[in-house]
Amino acid sequence: MTNLNDKFINYVSAHQKVTESTSNVITKMNEIINVHTRRIREQDKTIKFILYIQIATLVCVGLVHAQHSGWFDSIGWLQ
């Protein structure tokens, strides 16, 4: 009977070790996912900033081109 009890105790302790190990792995995976999520958000902000700068530059160049090509000559209040 004690042999069965020892086997059962060994089984339960092995199961607890596996459960703890799995929990540790899941915790580490969640930490890695959070780090990558933070990096993706930072890169998204950077990309949006660069996009806004490019749009503003395009608008400015378009307005300068329109002024120099005479598109605004017929509008009286711009002169």
Side-chain angles (χ1 to χ4, degrees):
M1 193 65 152
T2 57
N3 192 15
L4 286 175
N5 287 339
D6 290 340
K7 286 183 179 181
F8 181 72
I9 290 172
N10 289 339
Y11 172 77
V12 169
S13 66
H15 181 70
Q16 287 176 346
K17 288 178 184 177
V18 168
T19 303
E20 290 172 4
S21 174
T22 305
S23 176
N24 290 339
V25 168
I26 290 172
T27 303
K28 292 292 184 184
M29 286 174 57
N30 285 334
E31 289 174 4
I32 292 170
I33 289 170
N34 288 336
V35 167
H36 285 289
T37 302
R38 195 175 316 116
R39 286 183 184 170
I40 289 170
R41 286 184 182 147
E42 290 172 2
Q43 286 181 351
D44 189 42
K45 288 178 185 177
T46 304
I47 290 170
K48 284 182 182 178
F49 175 74
I50 292 171
L51 175 68
Y52 293 145
I53 294 295
Q54 288 181 341
I55 290 172
T57 304
L58 180 65
V59 168
C60 290
V61 168
L63 289 173
V64 168
H65 172 70
Q67 177 65 31
H68 285 289
S69 65
W71 288 2
F72 296 135
D73 288 346
S74 62
I75 301 175
W77 58 270
L78 283 175
Q79 296 174 355

